[in-house]
């Protein structure tokens, strides 16, 4: 009586069923800008910035996938150094999709089409690379990653031949790999098919939640969204075994016609240069848990911060976004609204600890 959650068991796995009422209520935090880099008031120019992260010392790492570089700044915003560049040699990369920080200070860039992660050390000197599945002859494309001691968590897909020349089968995955490219644990996977004789971009097949909406706690627990249209997060043990499921009462949040047009335009723009026309088919509602905004983030204190589709489009004036915060047992602890002059469906929001938030303007454009 009086609790805002119950625990049940489904298929041998505990589910924490949370109501819409957080245990400790709602909190509003007004953000104060400390410093900025790039934009009209700064000489620094960024191309595309899909990932920003911080190390334990508070240094900020800004990954520019267009320029194939990582810019490193002090906690006070002073530029320290820039590592990586475009190319095929050591310390160089082409077509990087994501960045991983390693506990030893190393930095890795995830090269999509090569299925490879290339590293530099803390000083920016080349320190090796690995190709996922190098021994099985598969065609791998990587999308995102998170580093830990001796391993990298990776999402992507492996393509293989289908029934005829126009069909490619895809295994979509979230795995952990050792630094030799061997999968050591599988957390999520699904099978889809690409038909090159009828080119379509079908959002529910192409943009899977676990490809971006996942994070890893300091003790190796993996949190991932597996169902686009359900507010549900699966917590996995380090070996890939489901530990429990977090659920919360949630009703779908429909996209407006303007939202739909904007999203379709974003997809079509990303496919410019293709030698054939692609039909784009998208969903009527936002994902229950934001995918492209990396809607699952674990903060250094072990709290799980979740950005829902509704949290991404708050109705309260002046609120950039609101996050649902869960404790390590999956209980809905509080809801935190962040007040700032930005819109969460247009920016990236990165929680880096130490009461700091990084906002990436133009993140989804």
């Amino acid at each position: 009586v009086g609790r805002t959650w119950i625990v049940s068991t489904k298929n041998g796995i505990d589910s924490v069923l949370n109501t819409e009422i957080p245990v400790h209520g709602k909190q509003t935090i007004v953000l104060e800008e400390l410093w900025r880099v790039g934009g009209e008031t700064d000489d620094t120019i960024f191309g595309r910035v899909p990932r920003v992260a911080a190390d334990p010392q508070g240094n900020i790492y800004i990954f520019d996938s267009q320029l194939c570089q990582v810019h490193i700044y002090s906690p006070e915003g002073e530029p320290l150094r820039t590592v990586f560049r475009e190319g095929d040699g050591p310390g160089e990369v082409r077509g990087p999709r994501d960045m991983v920080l390693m506990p030893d200070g190393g930095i890795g860039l995830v090269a999509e089409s090569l299925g490879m992660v290339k590293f530099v050390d803390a000083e920016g000197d080349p320190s090796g690379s690995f190709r996922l599945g190098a021994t099985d002859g598969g065609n791998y494309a990587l999308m995102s990653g998170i580093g830990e001691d001796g391993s990298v968590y990776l999402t992507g897909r492996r393509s293989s031949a289908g029934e005829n020349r126009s069909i490619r089968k895809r295994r979509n995955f979230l795995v952990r790999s050792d630094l030799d490219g061997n999968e050591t644990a599988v957390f999520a996977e699904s099978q889809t098919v690409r038909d090159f004789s009828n080119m379509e971009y079908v959002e529910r097949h192409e943009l899977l939640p676990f490809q971006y909406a996942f994070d890893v706690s300091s003790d190796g627990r993996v949190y991932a969204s597996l169902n686009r249209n359900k507010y549900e997060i699966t917590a996995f043990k380090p070996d890939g075994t489901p530990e429990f499921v977090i659920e919360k009462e949630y009703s779908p949040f429909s996209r407006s016609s303007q939202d739909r047009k904007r999203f379709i335009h974003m997809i079509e723009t990303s496919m410019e240069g293709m030698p054939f026309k692609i039909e784009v088919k998208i969903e009527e509602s936002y994902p229950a848990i934001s995918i492209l905004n990396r809607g699952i983030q674990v903060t250094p204190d072990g709290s799980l911060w979740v950005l829902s589709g509704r949290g991404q489009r708050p109705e309260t004036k002046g609120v950039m976004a609101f996050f649902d915060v869960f404790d390590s047992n999956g209980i809905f602890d509080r809801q935190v609204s962040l007040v700032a002059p930005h819109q969460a469906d247009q920016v990236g929001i990165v929680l880096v600890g130490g009461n700091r938030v990084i906002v990436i303007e133009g993140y989804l454009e």
Side-chain angles (χ1 to χ4, degrees):
V1 176
R3 288 185 176 179
T4 60
W5 77 93
I6 61 173
V7 178
S8 66
T9 301
K10 299 178 182 178
N11 300 320
I13 302 173
D14 287 343
S15 289
V16 184
L17 310 175
N18 294 278
T19 71
E20 294 181 329
I21 303 173
V23 174
H24 293 110
K26 297 183 179 181
Q27 178 184 9
T28 298
I29 298 176
V30 180
L31 299 181
E32 175 188 356
E33 184 172 308
L34 299 177
W35 53 270
R36 67 169 57 202
V37 63
E40 298 178 354
T41 61
D42 189 274
D43 292 335
T44 304
I45 297 176
F46 295 114
R48 292 186 298 270
V49 180
R51 172 80 83 170
V52 176
D55 64 19
Q57 291 72 45
N59 297 312
I60 305 297
Y61 297 70
I62 302 174
F63 165 49
D64 188 328
S65 63
Q66 185 173 348
L67 300 181
C68 304
Q69 295 178 329
V70 177
H71 303 268
I72 306 172
Y73 290 82
S74 73
E76 294 75 32
E78 296 298 322
L80 300 178
R81 59 191 177 279
T82 298
V83 300
F84 283 106
R85 63 183 179 184
E86 186 173 16
D88 301 312
E92 300 176 340
V93 66
R94 294 188 189 276
R97 191 69 175 264
D98 202 4
M99 171 183 69
V100 297
L101 299 186
M102 305 301 289
D104 63 0
I107 307 165
L109 289 187
V110 178
E112 178 182 8
S113 60
L114 296 176
M116 176 182 288
V117 183
K118 303 186 77 170
F119 294 97
V120 298
D121 63 20
E123 302 303 318
D125 296 321
S127 59
S129 65
F130 73 85
R131 191 185 302 271
L132 185 65
T135 60
D136 70 5
N139 181 13
Y140 284 82
L142 300 180
M143 306 182 75
S144 63
I146 294 174
E148 70 167 12
D149 189 19
S151 300
V152 178
Y153 296 83
L154 292 166
T155 72
R157 60 174 63 101
R158 180 186 186 276
S159 298
S160 58
E163 293 76 16
N164 57 60
R165 295 179 62 182
S166 67
I167 300 295
R168 297 292 291 177
K169 296 180 179 179
R170 290 175 161 184
R171 175 206 175 213
N172 310 284
F173 56 78
L174 164 57
V175 301
R176 186 177 63 241
S177 168
D178 64 22
L179 300 186
D180 291 321
N182 303 303
E183 292 184 16
T184 57
V186 178
F187 302 93
E189 59 183 349
S190 68
Q191 306 295 326
T192 56
V193 174
R194 166 62 65 82
D195 184 354
F196 286 91
S197 67
N198 180 29
M199 285 301 295
E200 295 179 331
Y201 179 97
V202 181
E203 181 185 358
R204 66 178 181 273
H205 295 160
E206 299 287 343
L207 190 57
L208 302 172
F210 60 77
Q211 292 171 335
Y212 295 103
F214 79 98
D215 205 353
V216 184
S217 65
S218 60
D219 60 0
R221 176 187 286 168
V222 175
Y223 295 96
S225 170
L226 306 184
N227 188 330
R228 181 195 184 279
N229 296 318
K230 189 173 182 180
Y231 197 120
E232 184 178 277
I233 300 164
T234 302
F236 294 92
K237 296 178 181 179
D239 64 359
T241 303
E243 187 174 2
F244 60 90
V245 176
I246 303 169
E247 299 183 60
K248 188 175 85 71
E249 292 179 351
Y250 183 84
S251 56
F253 186 52
S254 297
R255 287 171 167 148
S256 67
S257 59
Q258 182 178 356
D259 294 334
R260 288 175 54 81
K261 290 178 181 177
R262 179 169 169 265
F263 186 78
I264 290 173
H265 176 70
M266 183 178 69
I267 298 300
E268 290 177 341
T269 301
S270 71
M271 295 182 174
E272 285 180 348
M274 291 286 191
F276 35 72
K277 180 176 176 57
I278 298 177
E279 183 180 1
V280 178
K281 297 181 178 179
I282 69 170
E283 301 296 297
E284 293 292 332
S285 63
Y286 281 91
I289 296 171
S290 179
I291 301 174
L292 290 178
N293 290 74
R294 301 183 189 264
I296 293 177
Q297 298 186 50
V298 181
T299 52
D301 66 357
S303 297
L304 176 66
W305 290 58
V306 178
L307 180 64
S308 68
R310 291 184 176 276
Q312 187 180 344
R313 291 296 300 270
E315 297 178 351
T316 304
K317 186 176 180 180
V319 174
M320 173 175 64
F322 63 81
F323 285 80
D324 298 329
V325 184
F326 298 83
D327 66 18
S328 59
N329 295 313
I331 296 170
F332 185 21
D333 181 74
R334 63 194 185 279
Q335 188 175 88
V336 179
S337 294
L338 302 179
V339 176
H342 308 283
Q343 291 179 251
D345 66 333
Q346 298 181 21
V347 301
I349 303 173
V350 184
L351 311 171
V352 295
N355 296 322
R356 293 183 303 157
V357 177
I358 300 295
V359 176
I360 310 168
E361 294 185 344
Y363 178 70
L364 291 182
E365 297 303 324

